[in-house]
């Protein structure tokens, strides 16, 4: 099964559908934050997440609430910039198949951050799809920019290695 997911054209086609779907979810979320009628401000979301860390059944763990209180909220302007930008870049990367596995990894990081903040929504579903993309190796980017970029990067990396090995001997 593993080799099929990593090498089959049929699997690559299915992975492309998953990749584009996840990418669209990220692109549309980030685009709305960047260019929506109301400027994106994470302050309320972050403060709400901190409030979910107390009580009888907290949905946010204390260590994450401490991170939000000590770093995220004081630097909310940075998060107001990074979250929408990250979502848009992940979306574009996944839709066009550019740095596909890295884009999925960053997307999973964002989804886990939202989960840690006590927001369920579509985050678990997207994480599962992102892990499928990551586990599929280069096959997820087979029908995308990665197909053309990977041979170039491999050639450059091999040339650099050869140069380093020659200089060490």
């Amino acid at each position: 099964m593993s080799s099929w997911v990593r090498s089959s054209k049929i699997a690559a086609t299915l992975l492309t559908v998953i990749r584009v779907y996840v990418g669209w979810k990220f692109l549309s979320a980030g685009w709305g934050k960047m260019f929506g009628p109301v400027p994106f401000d994470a302050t309320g979301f972050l403060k709400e997440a901190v409030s979910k860390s107390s009580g009888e059944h907290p949905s946010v763990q204390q260590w994450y609430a401490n991170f939000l209180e000590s770093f995220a909220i004081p630097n909310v302007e940075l998060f107001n910039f990074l979250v929408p930008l990250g979502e848009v870049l992940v979306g574009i990367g996944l839709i066009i198949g550019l740095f596909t596995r890295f884009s999925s990894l960053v997307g999973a990081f964002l989804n886990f951050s939202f989960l840690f903040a006590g927001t369920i929504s579509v985050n678990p579903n997207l994480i599962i799809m992102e892990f499928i993309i990551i586990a599929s190796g280069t096959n997820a980017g087979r029908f995308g920019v990665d197909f053309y970029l990977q041979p170039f990067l491999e050639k450059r990396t091999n040339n650099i290695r050869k140069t380093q090995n020659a200089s060490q001997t």
Side-chain angles (χ1 to χ4, degrees), residues 60-101:
V60 175
Q61 295 180 19
Q62 192 58 51
W63 69 269
Y64 198 71
N66 291 341
F67 163 74
L68 296 177
E69 284 182 310
S70 64
F71 185 74
I73 293 173
N75 297 294
V76 72
E77 291 303 319
L78 177 65
F79 284 84
N80 289 344
F81 172 75
L82 289 178
V83 169
L85 179 64
E87 288 178 340
V88 166
L89 291 176
V90 165
I92 291 170
L94 289 173
I95 289 170
I96 68 171
L98 176 64
F99 303 121
T100 304
R101 290 179 7 181

Side-chain angles (χ1 to χ4, degrees), residues 25-160:
K25 295 298 275 183
F26 272 96
L27 182 60
S28 61
W31 195 267
K33 290 178 179 94
M34 287 181 95
F35 302 109
V38 178
F40 174 68
D41 185 6
T43 306
F45 176 80
L46 297 173
K47 288 181 178 179
E48 177 68 21
V50 170
S51 74
K52 294 178 182 179
S53 67
S54 59
E56 191 172 327
H57 300 288
S59 60
V60 175
Q61 295 180 19
Q62 192 58 51
W63 69 269
Y64 198 71
N66 291 341
F67 163 74
L68 296 177
E69 284 182 310
S70 64
F71 185 74
I73 293 173
N75 297 294
V76 72
E77 291 303 319
L78 177 65
F79 284 84
N80 289 344
F81 172 75
L82 289 178
V83 169
L85 179 64
E87 288 178 340
V88 166
L89 291 176
V90 165
I92 291 170
L94 289 173
I95 289 170
I96 68 171
L98 176 64
F99 303 121
T100 304
R101 290 179 7 181
F102 179 73
S103 295
S104 287
L105 183 64
V106 173
F109 176 81
L110 287 168
N111 288 129
F112 273 119
S113 296
F114 301 141
L115 278 175
F116 288 144
T119 304
I120 298 297
S121 186
V122 300
N123 295 309
N125 299 337
L126 293 177
I127 289 170
I128 290 169
M129 289 183 262
E130 289 154 352
F131 282 153
I132 290 169
I133 292 168
I134 293 166
S136 71
T138 58
N139 207 25
R142 184 181 216 164
F143 300 123
V145 176
D146 284 348
F147 179 78
Y148 302 99
L149 187 61
Q150 184 179 351
F152 170 77
L153 293 176
E154 285 176 359
K155 184 177 178 182
R156 295 280 300 161
T157 303
N158 289 337
N159 288 341
I160 291 169

